[in-house]
Each structure stands twice: as structure tokens, then as C-alpha cells.
Amino acid sequence: MENSLQSDFMLDPQVHYLNHGSFGACPRPVFEVYQAWQARLERQPVQLLDRELRQEMGAARQALGVYLGVLGDNLVFFPNPTTAVNMVVRSLDLQPGDEVLTSNHEYGAMDRTWHFITAQCGARYLHQPIPLPVTTPEAFIEQFWAGVSHRTKVIFLSHITSQTALIFPAAEICRRARQAGILTILDGAHAPGHIPLDLDQVGADIYTGACHKWMCGPKGSAFLYASPAVQPWLMPLVVSWGYEAEHPSGSQYVDYHEWQGTRDISAFLAVPAAIEYVSTPAFRAAQAACRQTLREVLPRLHELTGQAPICPAEEGWLGQMAAIPLPPGTDTVQVKSRMYDDFKLEVPVYAWQGISFVRVSLQVYLYKLIKTSGYVWFYRMIIHMKLSEYAAKVGI
């Protein structure tokens, strides 16, 4: 597999793809399993969706449970974390004056979900500021916990942030919240397959993650973990045959949320193939090379931009993704457009909290380049593709 990591992925070879964090990329061996499930569904829809659904979905959930360190019946598949969180948020019994505490680093779709629901029930969605640069996990925990009050009913927090690409010390936040009787909901969209993840050790009451990002599953595969204590009050987002089920499975949680009428379940059933792919020694070795390369090249990138890093270059804060500040006044739209149009460099460039960033993701399809030339290829890609030249032209 070592020699096939790059060729396994179906990405356009003319594009330098440094944006795995947004939508992932599914390798051909996993994609072929996905397509096989689709073909099987079309060949005999009744067989798969009626007679075999419970068995096949159960097997996929059990495989995912083993990978995440929890029971498969405590997991339900969703098409994406946003849909999963919408179900959870709509099930909460929030009262006027109740507080939901989050950070100011959260994903925009999730913020919008919470704003929508809290506006209806009179609760408050509060962003606790986490200033940059972050320094130590202990300082982060104290800064975040300063936002907790006697009205705090829920803590909602990213495990790995989208905008700043930081790994938050989620387990300690969950531990403190459990002692204080506060419900914890973690957005782990970027975590599965990216960092070692044992949900039992993390200790969140509710955890959602994407299988289509760093786990390399097909698009439309994600999960929601719910501890047994909270499952009874999680109401289905779509009420279908699993509600008041004629033939209960033994798990109300699975019954309520797994069956949502006719839909393509192929992405969910391909998740075990994705787990198998990302669990091989060759894949894990390539991941380690990506992490090491990113830490080595960051000082060069910060030297190029003239901006200070937003965190220590340590595995506790960074995985295979990093957000690099750009100089004040950067025209992010123009820079992003020129990166792609002129140099086929697919990378997010955006403004967040008044700061301009470029966010780079290193995935294993870059393995050969990393192995043969260390960080040099990455340095050349950014520098020698005339980033400094066109950066000067657009005034950064």
C-alpha cells in the first residue's frame, strides 16, 4: 500500500490539493465498496432496505464503535454533523435564561443552528473568547471555564476547530462539566481519522463526527454518539417507521434515528471499508509524516507572511491541518482566486475574527513527496509558485 497511497486517490493531478479538511477525499478502494453497495441497492432495493437493513447497518455501526471505543448501539449514522446537531438541539428542553456556552472558534453552520433554536426558546448562546495565540491546555481550560455560570446548562465545543485548526483539550472540559452537572456536546467533525479518538476517554455526553473527512469515507457519512443516559430524550429529526416501531430492535435510540424512509445508505455501509483503509500501518506512517512535515514547515510559512503563529507547533494543538495568519488588510477573495486560477493551489483563504488566514491540510496522498524530500516540496510549492510575488501584487 505504501506505493499506492497517492494513486489511490482520484483527485485531479493538476491541482495541488491542500484542502482535505473541508470535504475530505475518498480513496478508490473505499469508493469502489461504496459503489458496490449502491449497485446492490439498485439490483434489489427491497432486499437491502427491508430485509437486510437492520443487519447491515448494525454491522457498520459495530465496526465504527470498535474504531471509536464505544458500543455500536450508542451510534447512529447521519449524512453530516450539522444534521446530527440539529436533531440534538431541537430535542433540548432549554428554558428562558438558560445558557449554552461555546467558544468564539466555532463552525458557522453550528452557530447558526444554536442561534435559531435559542431565539425561539429564550435561552442564551454565549461565546467565550479564546484569545490567540493559545499557549497551554491549562490556560485554555481556565479561560473557557471562566464563562461557566449557574445558568450554564450545555457546553458545546469543537474538538478540532474549522477556522483555526486547533485541537481543543476537550476531555478535561467534559470532565469538569460532568462534575458540575452540565451537558456536553462536542463537534468532532475533523477528529475521527485525524487524531487518536476514544470517545469513552473523551467523556462527552454527545459527540458528532464526520467519516467523510479524515476517515476518508464517502461523502454523506457521519455519526452521532449519545451516552445511554441522554438517549431517551433525543427525539427523531424525521419521524418515520422507527418511532413506535412494530418490531423494536432493542435500542430506541437506533430505532428512532436510523430509519428515515427511503434513502441511499451506501455511504454508511462503506464506513467499515474506510476504517480498514485508514488503519493500515502504511496509512498511519504516512499520517505521522504529514504531521511532522507540517510542524517543520510552519516556521518557514510564518517567516513568509511575517505573522506570529497562533499556537505552539506541538501535536497537542495541531494534527495534519494548520491555520496560518496573513498580514492585515489581505484581500482574501483575491488571494484565494489567484492561488487557484494561477497556480492550481486548492487551499482555503478567509477572514475570521478580523484576521486573515490560509489553512493548509496535509493528507497521505502527498506521502511520496513527503517521504522523498521532507518539507522541501511544501516549501517550494508555496514559495516557488510565486506566492510572494503575487502576494506583493495584491498588497499583502
Side-chain angles (χ1 to χ4, degrees):
M1 180 174 175
E2 177 177 311
N3 294 327
S4 65
L5 284 170
Q6 186 176 13
S7 60
D8 276 349
F9 288 84
M10 298 173 284
L11 295 164
D12 185 345
Q14 302 303 313
V15 175
H16 304 288
Y17 197 71
L18 295 174
N19 192 15
H20 190 90
S22 286
F23 303 109
C26 186
R28 185 173 285 103
V30 179
F31 193 75
E32 288 172 351
V33 172
Y34 167 57
Q35 288 184 310
W37 281 112
Q38 288 183 313
R40 180 172 167 182
L41 173 61
E42 294 305 319
R43 185 168 58 249
Q44 227 299 19
V46 174
Q47 183 71 18
L48 183 57
L49 291 180
D50 188 4
R51 301 186 184 101
E52 297 177 351
L53 180 134
R54 181 176 290 180
Q55 174 184 342
E56 298 295 356
M57 290 286 277
R61 285 188 288 99
Q62 295 303 322
L64 181 59
V66 171
Y67 183 70
L68 298 174
V70 293
L71 295 176
D73 281 351
N74 293 334
L75 298 166
V76 172
F77 285 114
F78 279 86
N80 50 63
T82 300
T83 305
V85 169
N86 266 266
M87 181 276 285
V88 173
V89 172
R90 291 170 187 270
S91 298
L92 290 169
D93 183 23
L94 293 173
Q95 301 298 315
D98 287 348
E99 293 178 355
V100 178
L101 182 66
T102 190
S103 80
N104 64 332
H105 292 239
E106 302 308 312
Y107 186 54
M110 300 300 189
D111 277 343
R112 286 164 172 78
T113 299
W114 284 105
H115 288 152
F116 179 81
I117 294 298
T118 54
Q120 293 183 334
C121 66
R124 302 177 67 200
Y125 182 56
L126 303 178
H127 292 82
Q128 179 67 2
I130 304 297
L132 297 176
V134 294
T135 54
T136 66
E138 293 76 17
F140 172 94
I141 291 163
E142 294 307 317
Q143 172 67 22
F144 181 79
W145 201 258
V148 173
S149 77
H150 68 282
R151 294 182 176 273
T152 304
K153 304 299 180 184
V154 179
I155 286 175
F156 176 75
L157 194 65
S158 290
H159 197 170
I160 302 178
T161 64
S162 175
Q163 302 296 77
T164 48
L166 297 172
I167 303 171
F168 281 170
E172 178 59 20
I173 295 294
C174 290
R175 187 192 68 79
R176 288 197 181 193
R178 189 163 50 250
Q179 292 180 340
I182 299 171
L183 181 77
T184 50
I185 304 171
L186 293 190
D187 175 6
H190 285 276
H194 189 175
I195 60 175
L197 183 60
D198 185 320
L199 293 186
D200 186 58
Q201 292 183 5
V202 173
D205 295 302
I206 296 170
Y207 191 106
T208 185
C211 303
H212 69 261
K213 289 181 184 284
W214 298 91
M215 270 182 64
C216 297
K219 309 295 183 293
S221 56
F223 67 86
L224 184 80
Y225 162 81
S227 68
V230 307
Q231 290 176 16
W233 54 260
L234 291 173
M235 293 296 103
L237 191 64
V238 176
V239 177
S240 189
W241 290 100
Y243 184 78
E244 300 177 347
E246 295 178 2
H247 304 287
S249 69
S251 169
Q252 175 183 290
Y253 177 57
V254 172
D255 290 343
Y256 274 20
H257 306 285
E258 185 165 86
W259 179 252
Q260 295 182 5
T262 304
R263 60 174 174 165
D264 187 352
I265 59 172
S266 303
F268 307 144
L269 299 182
V271 165
I275 293 171
E276 181 179 357
Y277 186 88
V278 301
S279 297
T280 61
F283 187 93
R284 290 181 174 177
Q287 279 189 304
C290 289
R291 290 192 292 268
Q292 181 62 31
T293 297
L294 187 60
R295 290 196 301 273
E296 289 178 355
V297 78
L298 279 176
R300 301 293 186 100
L301 297 178
H302 289 122
E303 180 182 348
L304 170 67
T305 64
Q307 304 301 300
I310 65 171
C311 69
E314 301 170 357
E315 284 204 36
W317 289 112
L318 294 174
Q320 293 168 241
M321 183 170 68
I324 301 149
L326 297 173
T330 295
D331 185 335
T332 56
V333 174
Q334 188 173 9
V335 170
K336 181 178 181 179
S337 176
R338 295 202 63 183
M339 278 188 172
Y340 188 78
D341 294 343
D342 294 356
F343 306 107
K344 295 301 180 186
L345 190 62
E346 185 67 79
V347 62
V349 185
Y350 53 92
W352 173 86
Q353 304 280 323
I355 307 171
S356 297
F357 285 99
V358 56
R359 191 191 74 187
V360 296
S361 299
L362 302 191
Q363 186 51 298
V364 299
Y365 37 78
L366 303 169
Y367 177 77
K368 286 184 179 179
L369 291 172
I370 295 170
K371 184 177 180 182
T372 57
S373 56
Y375 69 84
V376 176
W377 71 270
F378 189 75
Y379 179 71
R380 286 176 177 170
M381 184 182 295
I382 300 295
I383 307 298
H384 293 259
M385 295 179 77
K386 302 183 180 179
L387 174 57
S388 56
E389 178 182 324
Y390 71 72
K393 291 181 180 178
V394 298
I396 66 170

